Amino acid sequence: MRSLKNHWMIPLYLLALGAGFFHYYTSGFGSPEPRIFRGVHLCLLLPVIFILYPATSRSPKHRPTWLDITAALICIAATLYTVFDAERLNTRFVGFHEVLPLEVVLGALLGVAVIEACRRALSKWFAATVVLVMGYLFTCQYWPGLFHFKGFSFDRAIEILYLPSDDGIFGFLTGISAEILYIYILFAGVLTATGAGDFLIRLATWLAGWARGGSAKISVVSSALYGTVSGSTVANVYATGSFTIPLMKKSGYSAKQSAAVEAISGVGGQIMPPIMGAGSFIMAEVTGVPYFTIIKVAVIPALLYYLGVMCMVHFIALKRGITPLNKEQRPQGQSLLRRSYFILPFVLIVSLLACGYSPSKSAFHTIWVTILLSFLDKKTWLNRTKILGIFFKSLVNCALIAAVLAGAGMIVAVLTRTGVALSFGSILVSASQGHLLLAMVLIFVIVSVLGTGIPTTAAYIIGVTVGAQALGNFEVSLLAAHLFVFYYAVLADLTPPDAVTSFAAANLAGSEPMATGIEGFRLGIAGFLVPFAFIFQPALLLKGTPLEILAGLASTGIGVVCLAAGVIGQFTRPLNPLMRVTFLASSCLLVFPSTYTLLLGLGLTLLAMLWSHFTAPPLAKPVKKP
């Protein structure tokens, strides 16, 4: 991102303040007509990317070029056209009414601008994916078999990308960005600026620092807590890793392990309610399931994920003899008690959602309560610099999300209007030969490949367009299918060769990026078991009696612990290869809901535990801290 000179920053600060107050006001008091709101939203945000992000490494670092300004003006013109002509556009039918020459020109230019914005600020792989799908749109009449479609003329192809209000650039995905996401990004910015983020890290240090391998457990707990604020995997790593990674290295973890632990902990932050990133809001919009219901059913899978991560770092600590933190390295409970009022915003937002308030209004009311709480301590007051920082960071973050959702909207428009999404679903069902487990494995592979180098939200949108239909054919509930795809879209950030979260952690730890990515994937493998578990055991998504939910939680929890023990090669004592295989086999059996496999898995687990405890060599001696 460019470091602009002061005279360039002034209009951006004014734009940030204007955009912030515009979204804040409309979230609290109702949005205008959807097409107008979405047009204004993109008009405010897309130009920011061309001003802040250079086209190439050779572009000026302190000012935009005339090409950047031209691209920004194109975005403004193309979006404002839909705002000023909204009344006519709302009454036209796609494929029936004439497409004006000006609309073809503006739509084509805006489509190219969106792809370029994604390339500059997000991912060249995502931009390439959009280009590939656009190529299919213009050549679909030449494809064979299930991928054949009658085709579109150039003006009709531009029409489905630019003019509809249900999909395309101004479709429902951009509506989610405009109506919900900006206010939550603003909420996260306010929490961070007022000191709530720092309080969460200190709370995690107090909660986990006393345990063996406490430095790594602080990373796990702080990432889980901070993830409720950020909703972003990479932001989570940078926010907590700058503190936890040096602490882990000093405690005895290697640089590669320290970075990998922070990466798998940071990734889990995006599946931790109540703020689960853009994907959860999109899920609510697409499925029609209330947002509070989504975050409610996501609690148990998120806790199981972090149970697996915690077991991984605990077994590593046992294997290497890593001790707890010294008492002087941990914060005093009295100092935390003075800032304990920062828990109130989290309680408030969940309470408002439970009482039936919309997600945007819940965040709207929680923001001003958080601001009032900041005045309880002079160190956390919001001065002019902090306020400008909040709005500017929110503007940039939302501009990135707006770009990716506009690009994803183009992809969804093509996949749905050409019928290729149904074709992919049919291919998946045929390839799985009627076996749910095989279909899940295929979807896992597809989403993991899509998510390599592509933002989580985009990977989820593309993956669910293809995968939800396939899982629906196996009578998997709509919400379970969406959560399955969403979890693997998030976990794809751990998948080499482009494991972005692991690479971010490696940058902080000074470790080799690819080796860190492989280690992160290995340590995070317990989390990869959880989505399979809640498909086979709907009780994990709160479907069933309390006894069924507890039984499912207990069996899957034991399975996650066994998987971690088998991967690390450590339980209460070190494990030999045959013991590790036994633990791994029992973990797989405990995922399936039948009585036979459950009893077999529990018996095998008990056998492995007793075997390892009485026959394995003793634990490593604790290492001395420097």
Side-chain angles (χ1 to χ4, degrees):
M1 193 168 73
R2 285 188 172 111
S3 299
L4 295 178
K5 296 179 181 179
N6 288 336
H7 64 275
W8 277 105
M9 289 302 296
I10 291 173
L12 278 179
Y13 280 137
L14 293 175
L15 178 62
L17 288 169
F21 282 117
F22 171 73
H23 287 86
Y24 180 72
Y25 179 83
T26 52
S27 295
F29 299 100
S31 302
E33 194 277 324
R35 186 186 293 273
I36 294 176
F37 192 33
R38 296 169 190 179
V40 173
H41 177 74
L42 289 184
C43 179
L44 290 170
L45 298 179
L46 283 181
V48 173
I49 291 179
F50 293 100
I51 299 299
L52 287 177
Y53 289 88
T56 67
S57 58
R58 297 180 180 180
S59 300
K61 300 297 186 292
H62 302 291
R63 61 172 179 82
T65 64
W66 284 109
L67 183 62
D68 298 329
I69 295 173
T70 301
L73 292 175
I74 287 172
C75 293
I76 292 171
T79 53
L80 286 183
Y81 176 83
T82 65
V83 172
F84 291 124
D85 208 15
E87 185 176 353
R88 181 185 68 84
L89 294 177
N90 285 335
T91 58
R92 71 183 307 279
F93 292 97
V94 175
F96 178 75
H97 286 94
E98 179 188 6
V99 184
L100 303 179
L102 178 60
E103 293 169 345
V104 175
V105 173
L106 290 176
L109 290 174
L110 183 61
V112 173
V114 168
I115 295 172
E116 172 62 9
C118 293
R119 184 195 69 83
R120 289 190 185 199
L122 293 160
S123 165
K124 62 182 179 181
W125 300 114
F126 177 57
T129 303
V130 181
V131 171
L132 181 65
V133 174
M134 293 305 104
Y136 173 75
L137 173 65
F138 292 105
T139 61
C140 55
Q141 66 268 34
Y142 305 113
W143 286 66
L146 290 173
F147 296 105
H148 177 78
F149 193 71
K150 62 181 181 180
F152 299 93
S153 61
F154 183 79
D155 59 340
R156 291 299 179 189
I158 297 300
E159 178 189 27
I160 68 172
L161 300 177
Y162 179 53
L163 296 180
S165 59
D166 54 346
D167 54 21
I169 295 174
F170 298 95
F172 73 95
L173 293 175
T174 297
I176 295 168
S177 172
E179 296 162 19
I180 300 176
L181 294 182
Y182 195 107
I183 195 69
Y184 271 85
I185 291 171
L186 195 61
F187 171 51
V190 170
L191 284 173
T192 303
T194 53
D198 179 65
F199 167 77
L200 293 177
I201 294 174
R202 288 173 58 80
L203 177 63
T205 307
W206 182 75
L207 288 172
W210 58 272
R212 192 164 189 177
S215 57
K217 291 173 181 175
I218 290 170
S219 173
V220 177
V221 176
S222 62
S223 293
L225 293 175
Y226 199 87
T228 63
V229 176
S230 69
S232 168
T233 59
V234 175
N236 206 355
V237 165
Y238 277 112
T240 62
S242 56
F243 168 73
T244 59
I245 287 176
L247 200 60
M248 283 188 276
K249 291 169 68 176
K250 188 176 180 180
S251 298
Y253 292 92
S254 67
K256 180 178 71 174
Q257 281 182 330
S258 301
V261 168
E262 180 56 44
I264 61 176
S265 302
V267 160
Q270 196 163 347
I271 61 175
M272 177 60 73
I275 303 174
M276 299 162 59
S280 58
F281 297 106
I282 295 169
M283 193 185 306
E285 181 74 17
V286 173
T287 62
V289 177
Y291 181 69
F292 180 70
T293 302
I294 290 175
I295 64 174
K296 187 169 61 176
V297 302
V299 169
I300 289 179
L303 293 178
L304 287 171
Y305 174 86
Y306 273 110
L307 173 64
V309 176
M310 187 68 82
C311 289
M312 288 283 186
V313 299
H314 179 69
F315 292 146
I316 292 173
L318 290 179
K319 193 172 187 177
R320 302 192 61 178
I322 299 173
T323 58
L325 292 183
N326 295 327
K327 189 174 182 180
E328 55 270 17
Q329 292 178 286
R330 306 196 299 267
Q332 297 297 319
Q334 188 175 3
S335 65
L336 287 173
L337 191 60
R338 286 199 297 267
R339 295 277 185 91
S340 59
Y341 52 80
F342 277 125
I343 296 175
L344 182 60
F346 302 96
V347 175
L348 178 61
I349 195 167
V350 173
S351 301
L352 290 173
L353 288 169
C355 291
Y357 282 77
S358 68
S360 57
K361 282 193 175 181
S362 299
F364 171 83
H365 292 302
T366 309
I367 285 174
W368 61 260
V369 170
T370 307
I371 293 172
L372 291 177
L373 289 174
S374 71
F375 287 100
L376 294 176
D377 188 334
K378 194 172 182 178
K379 294 179 181 179
T380 61
W381 285 8
L382 293 180
N383 54 30
R384 183 184 63 182
T385 303
K386 286 184 178 180
I387 291 172
L388 286 175
I390 290 170
F391 282 112
F392 182 72
K393 289 178 182 178
S394 300
L395 178 75
V396 174
N397 289 334
C398 204
L400 298 177
I401 292 177
V404 74
L405 291 183
M410 294 166 66
I411 292 175
V412 170
V414 175
L415 295 182
T416 54
R417 291 183 182 271
T418 60
V420 74
L422 294 176
S423 299
F424 267 116
S426 300
I427 291 171
L428 277 173
V429 173
S430 300
S432 64
Q433 299 179 350
H435 298 289
L436 174 59
L437 180 60
L438 183 55
M440 292 164 65
V441 171
L442 290 173
I443 293 171
F444 156 65
V445 172
I446 290 172
V447 176
S448 297
V449 172
L450 280 173
T452 302
I454 291 180
T456 297
T457 304
Y460 161 67
I461 293 167
I462 301 170
V464 84
T465 303
V466 175
Q469 176 70 28
L471 289 176
N473 291 331
F474 292 96
E475 298 184 354
V476 174
S477 70
L478 183 63
L479 181 57
H482 275 256
L483 280 172
F484 183 86
V485 176
F486 176 70
Y487 271 63
Y488 284 123
V490 173
L491 294 176
D493 280 355
L494 289 174
T495 307
D498 196 7
V500 291
T501 306
S502 295
F503 292 175
N507 182 49
L508 291 175
S511 58
E512 202 279 319
M514 186 56 68
T516 301
I518 295 171
E519 180 71 4
F521 181 80
R522 185 178 78 92
L523 296 183
I525 199 167
F528 286 85
L529 180 72
V530 174
F532 282 86
F534 66 63
I535 291 292
F536 285 110
Q537 301 190 61
L540 297 177
L541 298 180
L542 305 182
K543 287 190 174 181
T545 65
L547 184 60
E548 290 173 335
I549 294 170
L550 288 174
L553 177 60
S555 63
T556 308
I558 295 171
V560 166
V561 174
C562 291
L563 182 58
V567 169
I568 301 301
Q570 178 74 40
F571 193 60
T572 55
R573 300 289 183 90
L575 306 178
N576 63 39
L578 187 56
M579 291 177 186
R580 296 178 72 169
V581 171
T582 306
F583 271 105
L584 292 173
S586 63
S587 70
C588 294
L589 289 170
L590 289 170
V591 172
F592 298 94
S594 70
T595 304
Y596 175 76
T597 56
L598 179 62
L599 292 175
L600 181 60
L602 289 174
L604 204 58
T605 300
L606 182 61
L607 173 65
M609 288 178 177
L610 294 173
W611 184 16
S612 66
H613 181 74
F614 289 109
T615 63
L619 293 170
K621 294 181 179 181
V623 297
K624 293 183 179 180
K625 295 181 183 178

